[in-house]
Amino acid sequence: MSFLRKNILIGTFQQVKRVLRPAQRARAVRLSLLVLLGSALDVVGLATVVPVILVAQEPQRIHSNAILSSIFEGMGFETDKGFILFMVLGMLGAFIVKNLLGFWISYIQGSFSYDIATDLSARQYRAYMAKDLAFIRENNSAKLITNVINIPRFFSAGILLPLTSFLSEILVVLFILIGILIYKWQLIVMLSLVMVPAFVLIYRSSRNKINSYGQEKKVIFPKAYNEMAQSLNGFIDIRLNHRLDFFFKRFIDYQYRLNDIHLYLYSFNIIPSRANELIAILGLVFIFLYGLFIADNPSELFVILSSFAVAAYRIMPSLNRMLSSLMSMKSHSYVFDILEDIFDPSVYGETQNRILPFKEEIKFNRLTYRYPSAPKPALDQVDFSVKKGEMIGLIGESGAGKSTFMNVFLRFLVEQEGQIELDGKKLGLDDTLAWWSMIGYVPQDVFILEGTVAENIAFGVKPDEIDHSRLQKAIEGANLRDFVENLELGLESQIGEKGAKISGGQRQRLGIARALYKNAEILLFDEATSALDPQNEREIIATIKALARAGKTVLVIAHRITTLEGCDRILELQEGTVVRTYNYRELLASSLYGEVGTD
Ligand code: ADP
Ligand code: MG
């Protein structure tokens, strides 16, 4: 089988080995032993057929054959009929045992493969969540979702199971061939003359096509997924503008192609069983010719024919499965490219959650960030510091770099130059988890979970592990008391899509309460009050000011001046650089007032 080696088998084997963890490799080795046992049993079961045929054809073999006659004598049989019945029942028993065991071994193979699918999904999930925001934004989310949810299963069903099934089938074939070799070597010569070239021919003629279909599938699958997601997200605009046909066509064209590919792959899968039947008949023809022209007695021809039939009975399906397995491995070889992602290092290194000392100030030291696709930096040498307990505002027109600054501050984007310093010590990437523990982030659109008010404040903590005194303090600090008391079930009321509607102001307060529950020392407000009416805005600002007075360090990012009331200092960002510093009164008097607006 050297023709296969460099192409697919060894290649697949090595790549599988790379993807598996050491413990999984060890499990694979144990599984191979089991597969070996299964294949041996398979052949032993099969071998019980041969004496039955021999005896059925010539009952006196019971006495002329040394083994059979000693069993006959040893077990005290009296009639040939009784002995034949015993042999037939023995054969039946052997087949029952072999198939029960075979089922069990296949189940073990399957559970090994699908466990690995789960583990690979876990590894993909973790690898992607360890990336920065730039990666998440740059990659199509439909593609990432497919890579986490589907690709690991394709690996198991399309590579791993076929690989183990190939191994067990090739063992079966080898065992049978060895048996025949001992029994009648000429048969091997004939079998291999017929089967090997046919096998090679079938595989070679289809593998390139299959491979290219696999590659195409990899590209189209996420696209089809994405088109559907887009149609759902754009529902209003699509219907309103009468553009349904346009989007429908884009979607369904991908489905056509995808299903065509599946049709071709399906057809290739049928070829082996059809071709192998032809091969088997060819084998019979060869044996006839051999018996007719070479063998010296016709009884020998009968024996050869029946051995061939028995061998073909088992070898043919094995060959089918081997070919299908090879084709499956070929058509799924693209998954290895995608699974490479599990080896990506975390952007943040191996971080651990500890406590970072923060007594004096956070300094932004010539912080520069450029988006990979952008010609000039979105943050250009941003340089200022925030004292502990200060409340600082950041203002600027749309596109000035406020959101970029916030993301660098949160470490979701990583600066190319400059650094953030905490009490004079550089904030490294491996400080990220600790840094995140210190920060509460309240955006305009606070993320609300499907769940109760309590679950939304404690965020990601199991209901029975929520710390109630902390919860009460957070509710107090965020001025949520009235809201909670007016709910029928209080803290246990459901909110989110399926629960009670909450207003923009309440949403903000929930965000603040979440930051307080986690005991964040630094609070970051990102356009937090932009969507609120003036009354609600004033109330939220009062809450923020109270938090600052209580010792929290607060950073408020806004494009609306009124949001910045109460800030100790306000920095103006322009094209990624801090151009001026104001206090609130100066800001009101400046030209910015009215220009950036009070909208
Ligand atoms: P602001 O929040 O102040 O409106 P941003 O930080 O969003 O400004 O944007 C700052 C600059 O960076 C803008 O010129 C914007 O076009 C650019 N920018 C923002 N996001 C990206 C991105 N993902 N890729 C390339 N450029 C970006
Ligand atoms: Mg912005």
Side-chain angles (χ1 to χ4, degrees):
M1 302 269 154
S2 67
F3 69 98
L4 295 168
R5 193 181 306 144
K6 60 181 179 303
N7 302 346
I8 175 96
L9 259 187
I10 297 291
T12 305
F13 191 77
Q14 281 166 345
Q15 278 175 301
V16 165
K17 195 171 148 205
R18 180 170 148 72
V19 165
L20 299 190
R21 299 172 191 266
Q24 292 168 336
R25 279 182 225 154
R27 197 173 157 197
V29 171
R30 290 197 298 276
L31 189 67
S32 319
L33 294 179
L34 209 58
V35 167
L36 183 72
L37 176 74
S39 305
L41 268 172
D42 220 3
V43 178
V44 170
L46 201 60
T48 60
V49 182
V50 178
V52 174
I53 291 176
L54 289 177
V55 168
Q57 194 225 354
E58 237 181 280
Q60 68 265 35
R61 280 203 172 106
I62 296 175
H63 306 289
S64 63
N65 181 295
I67 301 173
L68 291 180
S69 71
S70 67
I71 297 176
F72 187 91
E73 305 290 329
M75 297 185 66
F77 279 97
E78 285 174 3
T79 62
D80 285 2
K81 265 210 171 116
F83 188 68
I84 291 175
L85 186 66
F86 163 75
M87 284 176 74
V88 171
L89 290 181
M91 178 182 80
L92 182 64
F95 269 73
I96 291 174
V97 170
K98 158 186 118 114
N99 280 296
L100 284 178
L101 267 172
F103 174 78
W104 179 70
I105 290 172
S106 300
Y107 176 81
I108 303 274
Q109 280 180 16
S111 94
F112 169 72
S113 299
Y114 287 108
D115 281 355
I116 283 174
T118 308
D119 185 50
L120 284 174
S121 280
R123 291 162 81 187
Q124 289 279 67
Y125 180 101
R126 291 202 171 274
Y128 291 150
M129 293 304 273
K131 301 277 190 183
D132 63 4
L133 202 60
F135 175 91
I136 301 294
R137 292 225 177 113
E138 271 158 31
N139 281 279
N140 182 315
S141 66
K143 187 181 92 184
L144 296 185
I145 290 172
T146 307
N147 291 356
V148 172
I149 293 184
N150 294 321
I151 295 296
R153 204 160 27 243
F154 292 171
F155 169 79
S156 295
I159 303 267
L160 215 48
L161 278 175
L163 187 64
T164 47
S165 121
F166 186 93
L167 291 182
S168 61
E169 299 301 343
I170 205 168
L171 284 173
V172 169
V173 171
L174 276 180
F175 285 143
I176 293 177
L177 290 185
I178 291 169
I180 298 174
L181 192 67
I182 296 167
Y183 179 60
K184 231 172 197 58
W185 62 269
Q186 296 94 330
L187 204 54
I188 290 259
V189 178
M190 286 183 297
L191 280 173
S192 29
L193 272 181
V194 181
M195 293 199 167
V196 171
F199 191 89
V200 174
L201 202 70
I202 296 169
Y203 177 68
R204 289 227 147 168
S205 59
S206 43
R207 80 182 151 174
N208 287 338
K209 253 340 219 180
I210 287 177
N211 193 28
S212 73
Y213 287 135
Q215 292 291 344
E216 199 180 340
K217 204 169 115 183
K218 161 174 109 174
V219 178
I220 294 187
F221 197 81
K223 283 190 177 157
Y225 198 104
N226 199 36
E227 285 302 329
M228 185 62 214
Q230 225 176 155
S231 293
L232 293 176
N233 290 335
F235 180 80
I236 291 178
D237 293 273
I238 291 173
R239 296 311 321 251
L240 199 61
N241 294 311
H242 301 299
R243 290 291 183 266
L244 186 58
D245 288 346
F246 176 82
F247 288 97
F248 170 70
K249 189 168 180 326
R250 277 170 47 150
F251 164 73
I252 206 69
D253 282 351
Y254 283 128
Q255 284 307 96
Y256 270 130
R257 186 64 196 149
L258 211 50
N259 285 321
D260 273 349
I261 292 173
H262 279 266
L263 166 68
Y264 301 141
L265 289 174
Y266 165 76
S267 321
F268 276 115
N269 248 314
I270 310 175
I271 294 175
S273 65
R274 295 282 159 198
N276 281 328
E277 196 176 301
L278 280 179
I279 296 170
I281 283 292
L282 257 178
L284 277 182
V285 170
F286 265 70
I287 289 171
F288 257 115
L289 295 180
Y290 169 82
L292 225 51
F293 297 108
I294 302 168
D296 4 288
N297 71 50
S299 149
E300 192 188 2
L301 179 64
F302 175 81
V303 171
I304 292 181
L305 268 181
S306 39
S307 321
F308 180 81
V310 171
Y313 159 82
R314 189 60 186 82
I315 288 182
M316 262 177 28
S318 283
L319 285 184
N320 289 345
R321 283 195 281 263
M322 280 163 67
L323 265 180
S324 304
S325 301
L326 282 181
M327 289 179 179
S328 173
M329 286 186 244
K330 198 79 194 168
S331 72
H332 288 94
S333 53
Y334 70 90
V335 305
F336 288 112
D337 300 342
I338 299 171
L339 289 176
E340 272 304 300
D341 294 349
I342 59 177
F343 298 109
D344 283 6
S346 162
V347 168
Y348 305 104
E350 292 297 314
T351 64
Q352 50 170 327
N353 201 356
R354 55 205 142 81
I355 291 175
L356 291 179
F358 172 43
K359 298 215 160 50
E360 286 160 27
E361 64 163 19
I362 308 166
K363 179 164 173 51
F364 304 100
N365 192 342
R366 296 169 161 265
L367 216 49
T368 299
Y369 180 82
R370 189 176 62 76
Y371 287 98
S373 57
K376 65 187 185 68
L379 287 187
D380 198 356
Q381 313 243 0
V382 169
D383 202 281
F384 67 96
S385 41
V386 180
K387 296 254 175 302
K388 188 180 166 106
E390 257 188 330
M391 178 169 168
I392 299 291
L394 209 60
I395 196 167
E397 291 173 30
S398 171
K402 302 183 297 291
S403 296
T404 308
F405 174 79
M406 173 205 79
N407 279 318
V408 173
F409 182 84
L410 290 174
R411 312 314 276 149
F412 291 125
L413 296 175
V414 181
E415 67 280 351
Q416 285 98 2
E417 286 168 42
Q419 57 195 40
I420 299 176
E421 291 161 16
L422 198 61
D423 286 358
K425 205 172 151 285
K426 177 185 168 172
L427 198 66
L429 277 179
D430 52 358
D431 294 321
T432 303
L433 282 197
W435 179 240
W436 285 339
S437 299
M438 302 169 69
I439 297 174
Y441 169 58
V442 185
Q444 179 177 335
D445 198 15
V446 171
F447 176 66
I448 301 288
L449 291 170
E450 287 299 322
T452 63
V453 176
E455 283 167 342
N456 263 285
I457 295 174
F459 197 73
V461 178
K462 286 191 199 136
D464 54 342
E465 285 169 15
I466 293 175
D467 177 334
H468 282 271
S469 73
R470 242 160 93 184
L471 196 60
Q472 292 306 331
K473 267 194 224 149
I475 289 169
E476 217 58 66
N479 260 327
L480 259 181
R481 173 79 44 219
D482 287 351
F483 167 68
V484 173
E485 276 169 4
N486 280 327
L487 289 170
E488 204 176 323
L489 297 174
L491 279 170
E492 298 311 314
S493 309
Q494 290 285 328
I495 50 172
E497 239 169 78
K498 295 185 196 126
K501 285 269 168 294
I502 54 170
S503 73
Q506 287 153 356
R507 203 176 250 263
Q508 291 303 311
R509 293 189 184 286
L510 275 170
I512 296 172
R514 189 179 291 163
L516 295 179
Y517 181 87
K518 82 181 245 197
N519 252 329
E521 283 193 61
I522 304 162
L523 300 177
L524 184 60
F525 294 87
D526 180 26
E527 304 280 7
T529 60
S530 295
L532 300 184
D533 57 74
Q535 170 64 22
N536 264 309
E537 179 178 35
R538 268 194 298 280
E539 286 175 16
I540 293 285
I541 292 166
T543 305
I544 298 175
K545 283 200 307 205
L547 291 170
R549 271 198 305 276
K552 301 281 184 197
T553 306
V554 180
L555 215 67
V556 184
I557 294 177
H559 72 285
R560 186 155 73 178
I561 286 175
T562 48
T563 309
L564 299 170
E565 195 206 320
C567 287
D568 298 309
R569 277 179 298 146
I570 296 154
L571 309 169
E572 186 192 349
L573 210 56
Q574 229 177 55
E575 295 188 8
T577 320
V578 177
V579 289
R580 276 193 63 180
T581 305
Y582 308 84
N583 63 35
Y584 187 62
R585 227 163 336 125
E586 286 166 356
L587 190 64
L588 285 180
S590 78
S591 58
L592 269 180
Y593 190 67
E595 212 179 84
V596 171
T598 48
D599 60 38

